């Protein structure tokens, strides 16, 4: 049997065409035949295909589907030695036709066509390259083809370490020793060249079967069709030229940031039998643009049971439970959202799910499970806000589709999230049942599917838990768990006031896997990255654990200079240094031996390798998800060489109650206290999932005396440390009495535990369960949330591993539903047998709640220092006067519309916004001679910056220059409102010796009108509902110009009176509001805003012209000195 690797998050299958293209482009091998291939897609255009690939018409051809179908030859899906006419006919007969392979039914839509190469079966060889934990393995056998048999047993194997390459001598002596002499060197050279490309392009899997040996010229060829096997790469050596016939390859998609240029355009097709939905593509695009994780796979769009689950591990468990209860045929989707998505991201994600739910009706109605474990750092209320928005938007469709909703969640601010969800239930119109962490995680599945009576949730207890715990009130009752033990009430195993252990002495104890103890209550660490929230959480944990000092010695952040950050130690403020260079931190704190690395996936490798060069570092936790597997293998190799324990990548970390916490492990402080993680219990656990580790904290606390230590090794295929590494540590730790393991589908690490139990190396009871039992029930491959969650063979399925663990002697439940109950039962047996002696429970020190978080929980209020009603930048999208910025662009509101929102808090009609924009255009500039422009130019030529030059010009604006808009509006409005005739108004102003603002111009006159005013008056008269004040001003102008032709209504006056007409007559303002806007200087704001554009233009003009310092000429200055100066 061939080695099979299913699609997972990082390793993804690619089209045969793409694989061949990559090898052809990058394999520098002279004997490789030129790459020739054509694709016939569902919209087959034969003439165009031949025009683009002329060789199709003159060569014998091979055609086969290119859709990740295995064993195409045995399925009759290959046509060989045909001409172009025969190939066309063969394709047409199959194109867009359904095909069932095993339990999967799919449609043939894509075919690859290539030149036919003759060879005989006895000249076939076998070659396969695939990844392993320590590097890569090359399998080679001198016989190939589909009848090669079990290559795992037959083939020669060469293991290559992650940080090395195979030598020609190794390949010759280990792999090709039975190959015929004429082509032996050629084959060896090809294997080496191919391996280098495999590494360079971050392939994860590459199989060649058969690889043909040399065929002598002139011999007869007999083609055997079954050698074209679509689950491998077939190569033939003809006249010293290697032809690639078939190819199956997978690449590490997380290496895209390294290989984007080399890969070119790469498509990751779905497995055969599951067509790609546009909704899946949309969620994938959201995921790519987000720092969070958003996944969706549609299994059965007409299915009855839908999930919207937070967390990669939790999403698998919910799918398991649905399938375990007999509803695999009704499970509609698999997916997850995690990593602290924003409100808008969960809103978009939820909209997609709800749209799919409501697309098809079901006679029994539908079920939506909004589930999740206890989050470590995701704000549950924030994510629920997005889900609630989507639910309200789909309210009527949900009612029509008879949807019942069951929700269960825990984590930061979960009380507020559950409250909002319960409030929604009163208005939504469909059944909505809401539960918190007091309910077992998957209990809602049984209730939703009618397998268990729907219970009421105690909302009061849930809503007060955080407040009571953080204020120091006792809360020891665990009866709500459903599996509480009398032995664990008000008791625990290890005394809270035990004397601290000598950390160096403990650290020296070792077993065959390394250190037995990694963390103690003296452990101190560096945190790489500006992760202030995580650091404060670690310090709060330290304080509530009664440590002598905080665990974070310093932070390392290469993107800023050395400085200090303020944090809280209990009630006291402290400063923690931040170093730009890691070397400075190491020198300053030589006692630190742990690094918590929050670097991104792009820099996590480099920063971790740098840290490993310092001998003082003994343990590193890598939080980042998405590090290429080849990079991770090199980290593992270096860590092994330097005896460093690595936790991660793709992990939340781990926690040792009362001693040390990695980053956000254990969640917020309320969960730390509720799960009693401030002191050691007697149960140690190890899991892959970070989110599920927090669920284990809750489960273990409710069923036992608590956690001694817990580690989430990470969801990647090759974590730095494995299950057995930590379980052996726990077995050799005297204070650990019970071991809990939560495994996953994929990999064989659980079998090492089986072997250790059988041989007696593990002597303590182990309660184990492997999630992913649903995988075997799916008809096509499914993208699980963790990179390592994939089955490479039958023995790597969850069912096989659970069976093996049980046979080895581990305690294995029937399902995850029974996991907590089994932990409780095994624990109670240990108590009954005297292995565990409960000790009195003590209350931890209280830690003040952060102000920001207390306000988030609604526990406090304070008067604000500022108030605003025009703009809100706090959400996922900027809003102007409540209107999302995207809507502003969508409706093309323009600058005038934005001014309406920001200045007037109203959406103005189009003619009004157009008028505002015209005003800005007309006031933008009036030449360099006016005072504002002059000042701007002089300042610019003095070498000042843009802001200084602009300010210099703006400071000249006033009643004499540009600032007459408000004055004109005020004077004309008062006269008009007082009932003064235009002549009476003019006479009144003359008697008061006051100028009429907005009347008069230095240059323009009745005979030389200002075109700006003409344009503005014409637009206003044609578009405004009425123009009483403009009409009044025009009558005033007739009087003033009769005395002097330049006493015209100028642009300031025209804008001022027209703006008053707009405000008074557009229907959006009251008269009092209009008066207030005029008095506030709003109209002058139009001139300031418009003229700023001109001032900036003058500044840029002077810089562009390279004008020097301005000095006013003497001949333009009258020097008049005081008389008699000489006598003085």
């Amino acid at each position: 049997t061939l080695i099979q690797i299913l699609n997972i998050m990082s390793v993804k299958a690619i089209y045969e065409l793409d694989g061949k293209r990559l090898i052809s482009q990058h394999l520098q091998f002279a004997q490789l035949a030129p790459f020739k291939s054509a694709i016939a897609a569902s919209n087959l255009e034969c003439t165009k295909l031949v025009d683009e690939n002329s060789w199709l018409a003159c060569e014998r051809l091979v055609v086969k589907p290119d859709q990740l179908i295995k064993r195409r030859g045995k399925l009759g899906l290959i046509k060989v030695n045909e001409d172009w006419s025969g190939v066309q006919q063969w394709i047409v007969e199959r194109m867009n036709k359904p095909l069932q392979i095993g339990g999967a039914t799919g449609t043939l839509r894509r075919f690859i066509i290539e030149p036919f190469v003759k060879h005989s079966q006895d000249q076939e060889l076998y070659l396969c390259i695939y990844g392993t934990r320590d590097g890569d393995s090359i399998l080679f056998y001198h016989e190939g083809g589909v009848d090669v048999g079990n290559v795992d047993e037959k083939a020669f194997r060469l293991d290559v370490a992650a940080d090395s390459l195979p030598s020609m001598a190794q390949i010759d002596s280990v792999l090709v020793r039975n190959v015929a002499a004429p082509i032996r060197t050629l084959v060896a050279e090809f294997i080496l060249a191919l391996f280098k490309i495999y590494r360079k392009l971050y392939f994860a899997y590459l199989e060649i079967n058969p690889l043909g040996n040399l065929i002598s010229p002139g011999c007869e060829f007999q083609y055997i069709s079954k050698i074209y096997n679509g689950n491998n790469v077939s190569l033939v050596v003809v006249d010293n030229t290697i032809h690639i016939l078939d190819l199956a390859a997978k690449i590490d998609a997380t290496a895209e940031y390294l290989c984007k240029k080399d890969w070119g355009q790469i498509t990751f097709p779905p497995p055969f039998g599951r067509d790609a939905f546009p909704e899946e593509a949309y969620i994938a695009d959201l995921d790519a643009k987000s720092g969070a994780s958003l996944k969706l796979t549609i299994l059965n769009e007409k299915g009855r049971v839908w999930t919207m689950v937070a967390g990669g591990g939790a999403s698998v468990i919910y799918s398991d439970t649905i399938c375990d209860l007999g509803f695999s045929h009704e499970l509609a989707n698999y997916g997850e959202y995690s990593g602290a998505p924003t409100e808008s991201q969960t809103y978009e994600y939820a909209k997609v799910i709800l749209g799919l739910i409501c697309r098809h009706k079901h006679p029994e109605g539908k079920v939506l499970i909004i589930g999740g474990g206890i989050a470590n750092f995701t704000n549950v209320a924030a994510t629920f806000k997005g889900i609630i928005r989507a639910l309200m938007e789909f309210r009527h469709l949900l009612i029509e589709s008879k949807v019942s909703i069951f929700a269960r969640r825990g984590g930061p601010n979960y009380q507020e999230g559950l409250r909002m969800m319960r409030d929604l239930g009163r208005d939504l119109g469909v059944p909505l049942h809401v539960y918190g962490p007091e309910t077992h995680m998957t209990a809602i599945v049984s209730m939703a599917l009618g397998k268990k009576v729907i219970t009421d949730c105690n909302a009061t207890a849930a809503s007060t838990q955080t407040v009571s715990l953080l204020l120091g009130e006792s809360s020891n009752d665990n009866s709500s768990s459903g599996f509480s033990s009398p032995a664990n009430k008000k008791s625990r195993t290890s005394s809270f006031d035990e004397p601290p252990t000598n950390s160096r002495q403990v650290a020296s104890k070792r077993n065959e896997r390394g250190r037995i103890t990694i963390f103690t209550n003296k452990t101190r660490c560096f945190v790489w990255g500006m992760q202030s929230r995580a650091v404060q959480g670690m310090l709060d944990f330290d304080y509530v654990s009664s440590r002598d000092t905080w665990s974070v010695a310093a932070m390392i952040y290469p993107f800023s200079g050395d400085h200090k950050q303020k944090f809280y130690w209990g009630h006291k403020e402290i400063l923690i240094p931040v170093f730009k260079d890691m070397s400075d931190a190491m020198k300053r704190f030589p006692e630190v031996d742990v690094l918590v690395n929050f670097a991104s996936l792009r820099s996590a490798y480099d920063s971790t390798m740098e840290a490993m060069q310092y001998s003082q570092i003994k343990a590193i936790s890598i939080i980042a998800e998405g590090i290429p597997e080849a990079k991770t293998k090199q980290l593992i190799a270096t860590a092994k060489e330097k005896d460093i324990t690595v936790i991660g990548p793709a992990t939340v970390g781990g926690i040792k109650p009362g001693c040390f916490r990695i980053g956000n492990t254990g969640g917020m402080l309320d969960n730390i206290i509720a799960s009693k993680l401030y002191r050691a219990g007697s149960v140690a656990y190890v899991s892959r999932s970070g989110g599920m580790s927090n669920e284990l904290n809750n489960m273990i606390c409710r069923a036992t005396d608590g956690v001694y230590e817990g580690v989430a090794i990470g969801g990647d295929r090759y974590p730095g440390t494995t299950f057995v590494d930590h379980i052996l540590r726990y077995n050799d730790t005297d204070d650990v009495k019970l071991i809990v393991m939560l495994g996953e589908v994929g990999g064989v690490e659980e079998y090492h535990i089986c072997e250790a139990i059988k041989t007696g190396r593990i002597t303590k009871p182990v309660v184990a369960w492997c999630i992913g039992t649903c995988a075997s029930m799916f008809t096509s491959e499914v993208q699980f949330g963790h990179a390592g969650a994939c089955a490479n063979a039958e023995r790597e399925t969850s069912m096989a591993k659970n069976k093996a663990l049980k046979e080895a002697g581990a305690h294995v439940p029937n399902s995850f539903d029974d996991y907590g109950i089994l932990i409780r039962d095994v624990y109670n047996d240990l108590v009954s047998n005297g292995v565990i002696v409960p000790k009195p429970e003590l209350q931890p020190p209280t830690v003040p709640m952060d102000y920001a978080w207390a306000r988030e929980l609604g526990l406090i209020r304070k008067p604000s220092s500022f108030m605003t009603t025009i703009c809100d930048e706090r959400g996922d999208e900027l809003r102007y006067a409540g209107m999302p910025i995207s809507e502003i662009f969508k409706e093309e509101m323009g600058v005038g519309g934005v001014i309406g929102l920001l200045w007037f808090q109203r959406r103005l009609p189009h003619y009004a916004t157009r008028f505002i924009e015209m005003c800005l255009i007309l006031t933008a500039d009036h030449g360099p001679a006016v005072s504002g422009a002059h000042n701007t130019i002089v300042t610019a030529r003095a070498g000042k910056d843009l802001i200084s030059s602009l300010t210099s010009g703006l400071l000249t604006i006033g009643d004499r220059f540009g600032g007459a808009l408000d004055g004109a509006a005020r004077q004309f409005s008062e006269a008009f409102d007082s009932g003064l005739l235009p002549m009476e108004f003019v006479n009144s102003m003359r008697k008061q010796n006051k100028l009429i603002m907005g009347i008069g111009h230095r240059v323009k006159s009745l005979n030389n009108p200002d075109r700006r005013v003409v344009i503005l008056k014409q637009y206003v008269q044609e578009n405004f509902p009425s123009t009483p004040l403009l009409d009044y001003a025009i009558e005033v102008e007739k009087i003033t110009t009769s005395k002097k032709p330049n006493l015209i209504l100028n642009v300031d006056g025209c804008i001022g009176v027209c703006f008053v007409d707009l405000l008074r007559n557009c229907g959006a303002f009251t008269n009092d509001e209009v008066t207030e806007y005029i008095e506030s200087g709003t109209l002058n704001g139009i001139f300031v805003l418009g003229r700023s554009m001109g001032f900036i233009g003058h500044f840029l003009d002077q810089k562009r012209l390279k004008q020097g310092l301005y000095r006013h000429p003497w001949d333009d200055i009258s020097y008049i000195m005081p008389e008699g100066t000489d006598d003085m």
Side-chain angles (χ1 to χ4, degrees), residues 27 29-34 117 186-191 208 211-212 234-245:
L27 185 63
F29 198 75
Q31 289 79 17
L32 181 65
V117 180
L186 175 63
V187 171
E189 290 174 346
F190 175 78
I191 291 174
I208 299 173
L211 169 66
S234 297
L235 289 127
V236 178
V237 184
V238 179
D239 295 334
N240 263 2
T241 300
I242 293 180
H243 297 260
I244 298 180
L245 302 184

Side-chain angles (χ1 to χ4, degrees), residues 199-232:
R199 283 272 180 91
K200 174 186 175 183
L201 298 181
Y202 286 82
F203 279 99
Y205 180 71
L206 197 59
E207 189 176 25
I208 299 173
N209 179 34
L211 169 66
N213 61 16
L214 179 67
I215 301 175
S216 302
C219 76
E220 294 296 323
F221 297 98
Q222 179 184 9
Y223 180 75
I224 302 174
S225 63
K226 64 182 178 180
I227 67 173
Y228 277 85
N229 178 357
N231 193 40
N232 52 49

Side-chain angles (χ1 to χ4, degrees), residues 240-279:
N240 263 2
T241 300
I242 293 180
H243 297 260
I244 298 180
L245 302 184
D246 287 344
L247 178 145
K250 302 188 180 186
I251 60 176
D252 186 349
T254 61
E256 182 178 16
Y257 74 97
L258 296 170
C259 299
K260 180 67 175 177
K261 182 178 179 181
D262 288 336
W263 287 350
Q265 187 64 39
I266 284 285
T267 300
F268 299 114
F272 183 77
R274 182 170 57 79
D275 290 336
F277 286 80
E279 291 84 358

